[in-house]
Amino acid sequence: MALWAVGIAVGFAALQRHSAIPGTTHTPSASADAFFRVHRQPGRSLLVMAVHPLCPCTDASLAELGDLLARSRGTCDALLLQYHPARGTPDWPVDPSPRHLGGVSVPILLDRDGQIASALGAETSGHAVFVDAGGTVRFHGGLTIARGHRGRSPAQDAVLDTLGGRPTKLTSAPVFGCSLGPECRPDAKP
């Protein structure tokens, strides 16, 4: 009986540790500016999120994006970059139709081998990059508070503060999800 309890405790501790370990994130490169010039409407803010269609944490990231869009009351546009391997298999999920998140129709751009995401500094599913109405990157990172968990986050508040013209010091946050690659595996460092 004691061995059983120890096994459960160790398993629970491992799950807790895993949910709190973020993936890799980088600052968007200079080539990201060209992407934003093409995809951002003049005078509008844009939030781009890179997602892996097989990552179990993607639903939580999309839910948080939907909450942010609903709370922004139409002041922010969004775009999803869906990872797609250049040599996809016939059973690879492909759904380029727009998603409705927070009452907003969000277009999906298939991202072959994650090349666009990489230029935006994203290596982990759920990585978001927020560009203000003037075209300046104001935030990059995750919108969730832990792997696969929903809940209001400081990252979401920082984006909303920027949209509302309020100062914020938060410019990046950890990203929780799978690596943007052909295999969906947690991009966690011990």
Side-chain angles (χ1 to χ4, degrees):
M1 184 68 139
L3 203 53
W4 178 79
V6 168
I8 288 178
V10 168
F12 182 74
L15 282 173
Q16 287 297 101
R17 181 176 178 270
H18 174 72
S19 72
I21 297 174
T24 304
T25 181
H26 300 284
T27 303
S29 70
S31 64
D33 290 341
F35 175 83
F36 292 124
R37 276 193 300 278
V38 170
H39 293 282
R40 186 181 63 80
Q41 297 295 318
R44 298 274 303 164
S45 296
L46 176 66
L47 194 142
V48 178
M49 180 180 281
V51 296
H52 194 298
L54 302 178
C55 179
C57 301
T58 295
D59 286 343
S61 294
L62 292 175
E64 291 307 301
L65 175 58
D67 288 349
L68 187 150
L69 293 172
R71 290 175 62 203
S72 76
R73 295 187 169 95
T75 60
C76 184
D77 297 328
L79 174 66
L80 294 175
L81 295 177
Q82 181 178 318
Y83 175 84
H84 191 273
R87 295 183 182 195
T89 61
D91 61 340
W92 187 269
V94 176
D95 183 9
S97 57
R99 302 271 309 247
H100 288 280
L101 302 170
V104 176
S105 179
V106 179
I108 297 174
L109 183 62
L110 295 181
D111 188 8
R112 302 276 183 222
D113 283 340
Q115 292 177 356
I116 300 168
S118 181
L120 299 183
E123 291 185 22
T124 305
S125 184
H127 185 120
V129 180
F130 171 69
V131 181
D132 68 14
T136 302
V137 174
R138 300 289 299 270
F139 173 83
H140 67 94
L143 298 180
T144 60
I145 54 175
R147 194 175 301 279
H149 291 284
R150 292 198 56 201
R152 192 165 169 177
S153 70
Q156 194 180 110
D157 290 340
V159 171
L160 290 168
D161 284 344
T162 301
L163 285 168
R166 296 177 296 278
T168 181
K169 292 182 181 177
L170 186 66
T171 60
S172 66
V175 184
F176 300 96
C178 292
S179 63
L180 293 169
E183 295 178 21
C184 185
R185 59 179 176 73
D187 185 20
K189 296 176 184 134

